[in-house]
Structures are given as C-alpha cells and as structure tokens.
Amino acid sequence: MNVNVLKRILAAINRTNNLVDITNVHAENLPDCDILTYSFPCQDLSVAGFWHHNTGGIDRDAHNRSSLLWQIERLLTEYAESDKDLPDFLLMENVSAILSPKHIGNFNEWCGFLEYLGYVNQIYTLNSRDFGIPQNRERTYMLSVRAITQKQKEKINNFFAENNLENRTSAKLKPIKHYLRLDYTDERYRKEAIESTPHFTESRRKIFNHNPILAVDDKAFDDACARTVTTKQDRNPNSGIIEYKKNPLVPWNTHYRNLTPRECFLLMGFNESSFDALIENNINIRKDTQFLPVSKLGKLAGNSIVVPVLEEIFKQVVELNEMI
C-alpha cells in the first residue's frame, strides 16, 4: 500500500473522529451526546460460531470478540464516576441469539446494569420483511431511555406499551425486482454481475442446488424474498442466487451468479446513489486493486443495519425526547 493511500486513510480516520480501538477509549475522549449506539461482534453468539468452537458468548470473562460488550459497561461507569452526563438514549443491535438460553443470563446482567444507571430498556426482535424489505433478516435491538424521575419512567413504559414495534402492522413487502439489477445493457450492472459470478465447481454446485432462486436471467420472481444478507455471498447457504438459463454472462459459470454488492446494499435499505458515491470514492491501493474489493463491499453490507428498521427506531427516539 503506497504512502498516498495511507495518508488518505489517516485523513479519513481523523475527519470522522474514529477512535479505532474501544479498549483504548475513555469517557473523557467522547463528546457530550444525546444518543450512544453500540454493537459488538456476533461471531461468539451466532450458531455459526459453534462450528468454530466459539462458545464463550458474551460472558465477561470469555475475552473474546463478543465480550467487547463489557467495554460499554466500563465507559458508562467512567461517565458516572466523572460526573459526565450520561447519554439520554442508548441503542444496541445484534443477532437474536443474544436472547437464547445460552446467553440470556449474561444479557440480563447487562440489562440490570443499565437499569441501575437509570435506564428503561425496551427490547425488540424485528425482521426486515415487516418493514417492506424483501429480506428475511431478524435482529434484536435494545433502546434504553434514561429516566431521572419515577414519573418519567412510567411515561416511558407507557409509551413502549402503546408503541411496541413488534406489534406494528407489517409494511407491504416490495417486489424484489426493485432491488435486483438485471438490466445488463447497463455496463455498471453487467460488470458487477460478472464480478459476482464465481467459477462453477463441485462445492458451488451445492450453492446452486440448495439456495433460493430470486430471478432467472433478467426476470425476478414477484414473491421472492432473500435470506439474510451476510458478510459473504459465495458460501452455502447464502442470501439467494440469480440463475442463468438463456443468457449466461461468462463461460466459466453458465448456471448462476451471487448477489452483487450493489444488490446487497439495496436489500439493506440503502439508496443507489449512496452506493454509487461509495464506488466513486473507492481508491486504488495498487494497479487493478481497490481498497474495497467485491468481498469487502459485501462484508460492509452484511455488517450493516436495515435502514427502514433503524428509521422507525429513531422516530421513537425523537418522540420520546419530545415527551420527556
């Protein structure tokens, strides 16, 4: 990686106030804020983690990736001990396995700590399908609202009782054709589709046989719904595939392609102009090698949060802020 690229990365870190490593961050390093959002790696929580013997979950003594949750406990403790104003709102997002019998004890310990600081916790398990996005993605969120008085606590509890997002009327599912880019006369879409077409091997035959077909050539199925967009599409299982029948784009795989990073971002609720801006600013770190290759773009999408879900939660933050 050349010096100019490293300078650009450093400039981006400084411009966005990226503190890089939470284990080296202290409350005094953080600005006063109304809302603090946090998450932590899910590898030690998810079912897939058991395949790699990641069994520590969020146990504070596990010293694994998911146990970084307790760094938030350390930061909030520093807030309280230094008389720094605690954020009015906290928002957590992670995989729903955090509520499983294996992890619920540790999670309840975390909730109890927040209650000790004066927060009222509302836990939601929400699926992006219910917010109009044709992706079957379930995630758990916790919105914590700080109450100074008992009256505020009662008002907050009443608000959540009356406005529980798990009980909302599901939004009409939008056809997946609005999220897939199947017009290969557009050079952008054609190039991205080719980049997302792997060489057909015996292991990829399993991907072809075992994953939902979302479209055939340039025709999407009206009732199709993608599986969860994960950090990698060239895997089994994946989010779904586009089958080639009449018009394969490449000779090395005439059966299917994976979802492109653009399609993954759209299925996460991002608009296309945002993705185009990302591509336009995707710098070359060496000849023919970009800072964000296809695999990393897909990882960014898989690690993000579905935008319409987040919007509904933030609407509640605005309402609660006005109320209390």
Side-chain angles (χ1 to χ4, degrees):
M1 196 176 296
N2 63 49
V3 173
N4 287 333
V5 171
L6 291 173
K7 286 180 177 179
R8 292 181 69 170
I9 295 171
L10 179 60
I13 289 172
N14 291 334
R15 185 176 64 249
T16 57
N17 297 317
N18 188 335
L19 300 179
V20 182
D21 181 358
I22 192 172
T23 62
N24 293 321
V25 175
H26 296 279
E28 63 184 19
N29 305 132
L30 300 175
D32 293 336
C33 63
D34 297 315
I35 182 167
L36 185 150
T37 65
Y38 65 100
S39 189
F40 37 96
C42 67
Q43 290 97 325
D44 306 297
L45 289 169
S46 63
V47 173
F50 287 93
W51 300 344
H52 303 286
H53 307 292
N54 301 334
T55 58
I58 53 172
D59 190 292
R60 64 170 64 248
D61 298 319
H63 304 295
N64 56 18
R65 292 160 293 187
S66 295
S67 65
L68 285 171
L69 163 66
W70 302 103
Q71 294 293 324
I72 305 300
E73 178 192 56
R74 175 183 60 79
L75 283 171
L76 293 176
T77 299
E78 289 181 9
Y79 267 86
E81 291 177 348
S82 65
D83 292 327
K84 186 180 177 73
D85 288 339
L86 285 160
D88 292 326
F89 299 91
L90 309 174
L91 177 59
M92 182 210 79
E93 179 268 356
N94 216 292
V95 294
S96 300
I98 197 169
L99 303 180
S100 69
K102 178 173 178 56
H103 305 301
I104 192 64
N106 285 311
F107 184 66
N108 285 340
E109 180 184 347
W110 169 242
C111 293
F113 168 73
L114 295 180
E115 291 166 5
Y116 170 75
L117 291 181
Y119 287 98
V120 176
N121 299 317
Q122 175 63 30
I123 301 166
Y124 290 133
T125 296
L126 305 172
N127 194 314
S128 54
R129 284 181 59 116
D130 297 324
F131 294 79
I133 299 288
Q135 181 200 162
N136 189 25
R137 183 189 189 89
E138 186 180 271
R139 290 293 184 269
T140 291
Y141 306 81
M142 183 164 70
L143 180 58
S144 304
V145 188
R146 192 155 183 256
I148 305 299
T149 66
Q150 183 61 29
K151 185 176 180 180
Q152 284 182 335
K153 182 177 180 180
E154 291 171 0
K155 290 176 73 172
I156 295 166
N157 281 321
N158 288 338
F159 174 88
F160 284 127
E162 296 170 4
N163 300 278
N164 190 317
L165 289 178
E166 291 184 0
N167 299 333
R168 68 191 288 277
T169 303
S170 298
K172 184 178 179 181
L173 203 64
K174 297 176 183 176
I176 203 166
K177 66 181 180 182
H178 298 306
Y179 300 84
L180 302 181
R181 293 298 176 257
L182 305 173
D183 178 9
Y184 302 132
T185 62
D186 187 313
E187 277 305 312
R188 294 175 303 166
Y189 303 155
R190 184 179 182 85
K191 177 177 178 292
E192 291 165 3
I194 290 173
E195 290 174 338
S196 298
T197 306
H199 285 265
F200 195 71
T201 61
E202 279 306 306
S203 62
R204 291 190 174 111
R205 186 183 298 278
K206 294 179 181 178
I207 296 176
F208 177 61
N209 290 332
H210 298 157
N211 288 279
I213 297 171
L214 306 176
V216 175
D217 293 325
D218 61 349
K219 302 295 183 184
F221 294 117
D222 290 339
D223 59 349
C225 184
R227 288 177 179 159
T228 300
V229 172
T230 61
T231 56
K232 187 177 181 181
Q233 289 304 306
D234 190 22
R235 66 187 299 179
N236 186 31
N238 67 14
S239 304
I241 60 174
I242 312 302
E243 185 178 4
Y244 294 141
K245 275 195 174 178
K246 296 180 180 178
N247 301 306
L249 298 180
V250 294
W252 60 78
N253 186 341
T254 59
H255 294 79
Y256 79 97
R257 70 167 174 84
N258 297 314
L259 293 179
T260 67
R262 181 185 300 270
E263 291 165 336
C264 290
F265 270 86
L266 292 174
L267 283 166
M268 294 302 295
F270 292 92
N271 58 46
E272 195 156 13
S273 61
S274 294
F275 183 79
D276 285 332
L278 178 62
I279 296 303
E280 288 166 11
N281 290 280
N282 192 5
I283 60 177
N284 288 320
I285 57 175
R286 60 181 69 89
K287 186 178 179 181
D288 300 326
T289 304
Q290 292 184 301
F291 183 66
L292 294 173
V294 170
S295 60
K296 286 189 177 179
L297 288 168
K299 190 173 183 178
L300 283 176
N303 278 331
S304 61
I305 300 175
V306 175
V307 175
V309 179
L310 202 55
E311 287 175 337
E312 290 301 315
I313 295 173
F314 278 127
K315 285 178 184 177
Q316 292 200 329
V317 170
V318 172
E319 291 181 51
L320 284 160
N321 189 58
E322 292 174 350
M323 185 182 77
I324 62 175

